mmCIF file of all heavy atoms in Angstrom:
data_model
loop_
_atom_site.group_PDB
_atom_site.id
_atom_site.type_symbol
_atom_site.label_atom_id
_atom_site.label_comp_id
_atom_site.label_asym_id
_atom_site.label_seq_id
_atom_site.Cartn_x
_atom_site.Cartn_y
_atom_site.Cartn_z
ATOM 1 N N SER L 48 -18.572 11.134 18.586
ATOM 2 C CA SER L 48 -17.291 12.022 18.884
ATOM 3 C C SER L 48 -17.711 13.204 19.707
ATOM 4 O O SER L 48 -17.068 13.689 20.768
ATOM 5 C CB SER L 48 -16.633 12.515 17.604
ATOM 6 O OG SER L 48 -16.140 11.418 16.894
ATOM 7 N N ALA L 49 -18.847 13.923 19.327
ATOM 8 C CA ALA L 49 -19.327 15.016 20.039
ATOM 9 C C ALA L 49 -19.504 14.762 21.615
ATOM 10 O O ALA L 49 -19.353 15.573 22.472
ATOM 11 C CB ALA L 49 -20.619 15.601 19.507
ATOM 12 N N PHE L 50 -20.060 13.457 21.765
ATOM 13 C CA PHE L 50 -20.342 12.954 23.271
ATOM 14 C C PHE L 50 -18.953 12.712 23.959
ATOM 15 O O PHE L 50 -18.689 13.176 25.081
ATOM 16 C CB PHE L 50 -21.188 11.780 23.189
ATOM 17 C CG PHE L 50 -22.670 12.222 23.336
ATOM 18 C CD1 PHE L 50 -23.481 12.385 22.224
ATOM 19 C CD2 PHE L 50 -23.283 12.245 24.558
ATOM 20 C CE1 PHE L 50 -24.765 12.761 22.388
ATOM 21 C CE2 PHE L 50 -24.684 12.554 24.790
ATOM 22 C CZ PHE L 50 -25.391 12.836 23.511
ATOM 23 N N LEU L 51 -18.368 11.786 23.252
ATOM 24 C CA LEU L 51 -17.093 11.202 23.871
ATOM 25 C C LEU L 51 -15.954 12.152 24.156
ATOM 26 O O LEU L 51 -15.098 11.960 24.985
ATOM 27 C CB LEU L 51 -16.658 10.039 23.005
ATOM 28 C CG LEU L 51 -17.686 8.901 22.825
ATOM 29 C CD1 LEU L 51 -17.120 7.846 21.940
ATOM 30 C CD2 LEU L 51 -18.079 8.289 24.116
ATOM 31 N N ASN L 52 -15.890 13.200 23.388
ATOM 32 C CA ASN L 52 -14.917 14.288 23.629
ATOM 33 C C ASN L 52 -15.265 15.448 24.353
ATOM 34 O O ASN L 52 -14.632 16.512 24.446
ATOM 35 C CB ASN L 52 -14.476 14.804 22.191
ATOM 36 C CG ASN L 52 -13.824 13.602 21.374
ATOM 37 O OD1 ASN L 52 -13.105 12.826 21.860
ATOM 38 N ND2 ASN L 52 -13.951 13.767 20.026
ATOM 39 N N ASN L 53 -16.416 15.282 25.157
ATOM 40 C CA ASN L 53 -16.943 16.388 25.982
ATOM 41 C C ASN L 53 -17.192 15.818 27.397
ATOM 42 O O ASN L 53 -17.974 14.923 27.601
ATOM 43 C CB ASN L 53 -18.219 16.891 25.396
ATOM 44 C CG ASN L 53 -18.561 18.224 26.082
ATOM 45 O OD1 ASN L 53 -18.500 18.352 27.272
ATOM 46 N ND2 ASN L 53 -19.076 19.128 25.246
ATOM 47 N N ASN L 54 -16.246 16.292 28.405
ATOM 48 C CA ASN L 54 -16.402 15.737 29.753
ATOM 49 C C ASN L 54 -17.652 16.200 30.471
ATOM 50 O O ASN L 54 -17.947 15.690 31.513
ATOM 51 C CB ASN L 54 -15.218 16.157 30.579
ATOM 52 C CG ASN L 54 -14.975 17.610 30.473
ATOM 53 O OD1 ASN L 54 -15.795 18.466 30.286
ATOM 54 N ND2 ASN L 54 -13.720 17.988 30.973
ATOM 55 N N LYS L 55 -18.466 17.086 29.888
ATOM 56 C CA LYS L 55 -19.669 17.736 30.595
ATOM 57 C C LYS L 55 -20.785 16.602 30.347
ATOM 58 O O LYS L 55 -21.795 16.684 31.115
ATOM 59 C CB LYS L 55 -20.204 18.994 29.953
ATOM 60 C CG LYS L 55 -19.307 20.172 30.372
ATOM 61 C CD LYS L 55 -19.813 21.443 29.805
ATOM 62 C CE LYS L 55 -18.880 22.631 30.167
ATOM 63 N NZ LYS L 55 -19.427 23.995 29.725
ATOM 64 N N ILE L 56 -20.573 15.766 29.407
ATOM 65 C CA ILE L 56 -21.767 14.684 29.146
ATOM 66 C C ILE L 56 -21.110 13.361 29.060
ATOM 67 O O ILE L 56 -21.401 12.424 28.396
ATOM 68 C CB ILE L 56 -22.352 14.969 27.752
ATOM 69 C CG1 ILE L 56 -21.459 15.277 26.699
ATOM 70 C CG2 ILE L 56 -23.436 16.119 27.944
ATOM 71 C CD1 ILE L 56 -22.112 15.451 25.243
ATOM 72 N N SER L 57 -20.148 12.990 30.048
ATOM 73 C CA SER L 57 -19.473 11.789 30.160
ATOM 74 C C SER L 57 -20.255 10.791 30.876
ATOM 75 O O SER L 57 -19.801 9.503 30.899
ATOM 76 C CB SER L 57 -18.192 11.945 30.947
ATOM 77 O OG SER L 57 -18.419 12.519 32.235
ATOM 78 N N ASP L 58 -21.379 11.071 31.560
ATOM 79 C CA ASP L 58 -22.308 10.073 32.245
ATOM 80 C C ASP L 58 -23.242 9.444 31.384
ATOM 81 O O ASP L 58 -24.204 8.891 31.887
ATOM 82 C CB ASP L 58 -22.823 10.750 33.421
ATOM 83 C CG ASP L 58 -23.646 12.039 33.166
ATOM 84 O OD1 ASP L 58 -23.510 12.505 31.961
ATOM 85 O OD2 ASP L 58 -24.295 12.497 33.970
ATOM 86 N N PHE L 59 -23.256 9.593 29.970
ATOM 87 C CA PHE L 59 -24.117 8.856 29.086
ATOM 88 C C PHE L 59 -23.656 7.548 28.651
ATOM 89 O O PHE L 59 -22.426 7.258 28.624
ATOM 90 C CB PHE L 59 -24.440 9.715 27.882
ATOM 91 C CG PHE L 59 -25.403 10.874 28.108
ATOM 92 C CD1 PHE L 59 -24.994 11.983 28.824
ATOM 93 C CD2 PHE L 59 -26.641 10.808 27.560
ATOM 94 C CE1 PHE L 59 -25.907 13.085 28.957
ATOM 95 C CE2 PHE L 59 -27.513 11.815 27.790
ATOM 96 C CZ PHE L 59 -27.151 12.917 28.426
ATOM 97 N N VAL L 60 -24.620 6.692 28.486
ATOM 98 C CA VAL L 60 -24.333 5.237 27.964
ATOM 99 C C VAL L 60 -24.671 5.251 26.516
ATOM 100 O O VAL L 60 -25.756 5.749 26.066
ATOM 101 C CB VAL L 60 -25.081 4.160 28.783
ATOM 102 C CG1 VAL L 60 -24.888 2.803 28.178
ATOM 103 C CG2 VAL L 60 -24.804 4.255 30.183
ATOM 104 N N PHE L 61 -23.903 4.609 25.726
ATOM 105 C CA PHE L 61 -24.193 4.425 24.250
ATOM 106 C C PHE L 61 -24.573 3.047 23.876
ATOM 107 O O PHE L 61 -23.794 2.119 24.295
ATOM 108 C CB PHE L 61 -22.919 4.935 23.434
ATOM 109 C CG PHE L 61 -23.160 4.664 21.893
ATOM 110 C CD1 PHE L 61 -23.989 5.541 21.240
ATOM 111 C CD2 PHE L 61 -22.531 3.607 21.287
ATOM 112 C CE1 PHE L 61 -24.240 5.280 19.846
ATOM 113 C CE2 PHE L 61 -22.734 3.439 19.921
ATOM 114 C CZ PHE L 61 -23.538 4.264 19.190
ATOM 115 N N PHE L 62 -25.471 2.902 23.038
ATOM 116 C CA PHE L 62 -25.853 1.627 22.453
ATOM 117 C C PHE L 62 -26.004 1.701 20.897
ATOM 118 O O PHE L 62 -26.557 2.632 20.453
ATOM 119 C CB PHE L 62 -27.120 1.109 22.953
ATOM 120 C CG PHE L 62 -27.170 0.562 24.327
ATOM 121 C CD1 PHE L 62 -28.012 1.097 25.424
ATOM 122 C CD2 PHE L 62 -26.244 -0.401 24.835
ATOM 123 C CE1 PHE L 62 -28.089 0.544 26.631
ATOM 124 C CE2 PHE L 62 -26.183 -0.833 26.130
ATOM 125 C CZ PHE L 62 -27.079 -0.282 27.039
ATOM 126 N N ASN L 63 -25.296 0.748 20.233
ATOM 127 C CA ASN L 63 -25.492 0.628 18.822
ATOM 128 C C ASN L 63 -26.703 -0.214 18.693
ATOM 129 O O ASN L 63 -26.856 -1.425 19.170
ATOM 130 C CB ASN L 63 -24.269 0.128 18.244
ATOM 131 C CG ASN L 63 -24.242 -0.017 16.667
ATOM 132 O OD1 ASN L 63 -25.326 -0.244 16.143
ATOM 133 N ND2 ASN L 63 -23.186 0.355 16.098
ATOM 134 N N ILE L 64 -27.849 0.290 18.038
ATOM 135 C CA ILE L 64 -29.119 -0.423 18.044
ATOM 136 C C ILE L 64 -28.974 -1.714 17.327
ATOM 137 O O ILE L 64 -29.579 -2.695 17.755
ATOM 138 C CB ILE L 64 -30.100 0.388 17.305
ATOM 139 C CG1 ILE L 64 -30.276 1.784 17.806
ATOM 140 C CG2 ILE L 64 -31.446 -0.322 17.297
ATOM 141 C CD1 ILE L 64 -30.685 1.776 19.422
ATOM 142 N N SER L 65 -28.157 -1.948 16.367
ATOM 143 C CA SER L 65 -28.009 -3.284 15.691
ATOM 144 C C SER L 65 -27.338 -4.261 16.599
ATOM 145 O O SER L 65 -27.485 -5.502 16.328
ATOM 146 C CB SER L 65 -27.234 -3.143 14.429
ATOM 147 O OG SER L 65 -25.883 -2.778 14.640
ATOM 148 N N ARG L 66 -26.664 -3.918 17.686
ATOM 149 C CA ARG L 66 -26.100 -4.948 18.476
ATOM 150 C C ARG L 66 -26.919 -5.189 19.712
ATOM 151 O O ARG L 66 -26.556 -5.937 20.536
ATOM 152 C CB ARG L 66 -24.753 -4.334 18.958
ATOM 153 C CG ARG L 66 -23.746 -4.175 17.823
ATOM 154 C CD ARG L 66 -22.364 -3.545 18.310
ATOM 155 N NE ARG L 66 -21.429 -3.335 17.112
ATOM 156 C CZ ARG L 66 -20.350 -2.701 17.078
ATOM 157 N NH1 ARG L 66 -19.969 -2.246 18.258
ATOM 158 N NH2 ARG L 66 -19.640 -2.543 15.910
ATOM 159 N N LEU L 67 -28.062 -4.529 19.830
ATOM 160 C CA LEU L 67 -29.063 -4.987 20.938
ATOM 161 C C LEU L 67 -29.865 -6.201 20.381
ATOM 162 O O LEU L 67 -30.165 -6.258 19.220
ATOM 163 C CB LEU L 67 -30.018 -3.748 21.122
ATOM 164 C CG LEU L 67 -29.316 -2.537 21.859
ATOM 165 C CD1 LEU L 67 -30.337 -1.427 21.948
ATOM 166 C CD2 LEU L 67 -28.689 -2.924 23.190
ATOM 167 N N SER L 68 -30.108 -7.038 21.305
ATOM 168 C CA SER L 68 -31.124 -8.148 20.841
ATOM 169 C C SER L 68 -32.504 -7.591 20.714
ATOM 170 O O SER L 68 -32.798 -6.432 21.114
ATOM 171 C CB SER L 68 -31.133 -9.178 21.992
ATOM 172 O OG SER L 68 -31.799 -8.690 23.162
ATOM 173 N N LYS L 69 -33.319 -8.367 20.135
ATOM 174 C CA LYS L 69 -34.730 -7.981 19.776
ATOM 175 C C LYS L 69 -35.390 -7.720 21.062
ATOM 176 O O LYS L 69 -36.188 -6.820 21.209
ATOM 177 C CB LYS L 69 -35.519 -9.059 18.939
ATOM 178 C CG LYS L 69 -36.916 -8.693 18.669
ATOM 179 C CD LYS L 69 -37.664 -9.781 17.902
ATOM 180 C CE LYS L 69 -39.092 -9.348 17.673
ATOM 181 N NZ LYS L 69 -39.864 -10.420 16.926
ATOM 182 N N ILE L 70 -35.186 -8.491 22.081
ATOM 183 C CA ILE L 70 -35.806 -8.285 23.426
ATOM 184 C C ILE L 70 -35.324 -6.967 24.088
ATOM 185 O O ILE L 70 -36.152 -6.222 24.582
ATOM 186 C CB ILE L 70 -35.500 -9.507 24.344
ATOM 187 C CG1 ILE L 70 -36.448 -10.640 23.989
ATOM 188 C CG2 ILE L 70 -35.808 -9.128 25.811
ATOM 189 C CD1 ILE L 70 -36.167 -11.903 24.837
ATOM 190 N N GLN L 71 -33.945 -6.728 23.924
ATOM 191 C CA GLN L 71 -33.500 -5.474 24.428
ATOM 192 C C GLN L 71 -34.069 -4.181 23.703
ATOM 193 O O GLN L 71 -34.478 -3.224 24.462
ATOM 194 C CB GLN L 71 -31.963 -5.401 24.389
ATOM 195 C CG GLN L 71 -31.303 -6.433 25.372
ATOM 196 C CD GLN L 71 -29.719 -6.465 24.970
ATOM 197 O OE1 GLN L 71 -29.283 -6.434 23.960
ATOM 198 N NE2 GLN L 71 -29.032 -6.379 26.208
ATOM 199 N N ARG L 72 -34.161 -4.326 22.397
ATOM 200 C CA ARG L 72 -34.791 -3.192 21.673
ATOM 201 C C ARG L 72 -36.260 -3.023 22.014
ATOM 202 O O ARG L 72 -36.720 -1.861 22.248
ATOM 203 C CB ARG L 72 -34.761 -3.523 20.191
ATOM 204 C CG ARG L 72 -33.253 -3.423 19.672
ATOM 205 C CD ARG L 72 -33.245 -3.442 18.097
ATOM 206 N NE ARG L 72 -33.915 -4.566 17.486
ATOM 207 C CZ ARG L 72 -33.320 -5.607 17.051
ATOM 208 N NH1 ARG L 72 -31.968 -5.876 17.371
ATOM 209 N NH2 ARG L 72 -34.038 -6.492 16.434
ATOM 210 N N SER L 73 -36.937 -4.111 22.177
ATOM 211 C CA SER L 73 -38.379 -3.954 22.632
ATOM 212 C C SER L 73 -38.522 -3.454 23.993
ATOM 213 O O SER L 73 -39.463 -2.721 24.307
ATOM 214 C CB SER L 73 -39.067 -5.265 22.502
ATOM 215 O OG SER L 73 -39.047 -5.707 21.196
ATOM 216 N N TYR L 74 -37.566 -3.804 24.890
ATOM 217 C CA TYR L 74 -37.552 -3.354 26.165
ATOM 218 C C TYR L 74 -37.475 -1.904 26.356
ATOM 219 O O TYR L 74 -38.165 -1.146 27.028
ATOM 220 C CB TYR L 74 -36.296 -4.055 26.997
ATOM 221 C CG TYR L 74 -36.100 -3.447 28.447
ATOM 222 C CD1 TYR L 74 -36.889 -3.882 29.479
ATOM 223 C CD2 TYR L 74 -35.154 -2.494 28.633
ATOM 224 C CE1 TYR L 74 -36.604 -3.602 30.703
ATOM 225 C CE2 TYR L 74 -34.826 -2.225 29.927
ATOM 226 C CZ TYR L 74 -35.554 -2.632 31.057
ATOM 227 O OH TYR L 74 -35.303 -2.120 32.181
#
């Protein structure tokens, strides 16, 4: 919420770690 409700940091990408594949996490 601190990120998504602040337009000064709107250029960040969010990942939920559990939804990344093992290869993506290792990457």
Side-chain angles (χ1 to χ4, degrees):
S48 295
F50 268 89
L51 300 176
N52 296 329
N53 195 317
N54 56 18
K55 290 184 178 180
I56 47 178
S57 59
D58 52 349
F59 279 75
V60 176
F61 173 76
F62 287 127
N63 190 317
I64 304 302
S65 65
R66 295 177 184 172
L67 294 174
S68 68
K69 181 179 178 181
I70 286 182
Q71 288 173 318
R72 294 195 298 270
S73 300
Y74 173 82

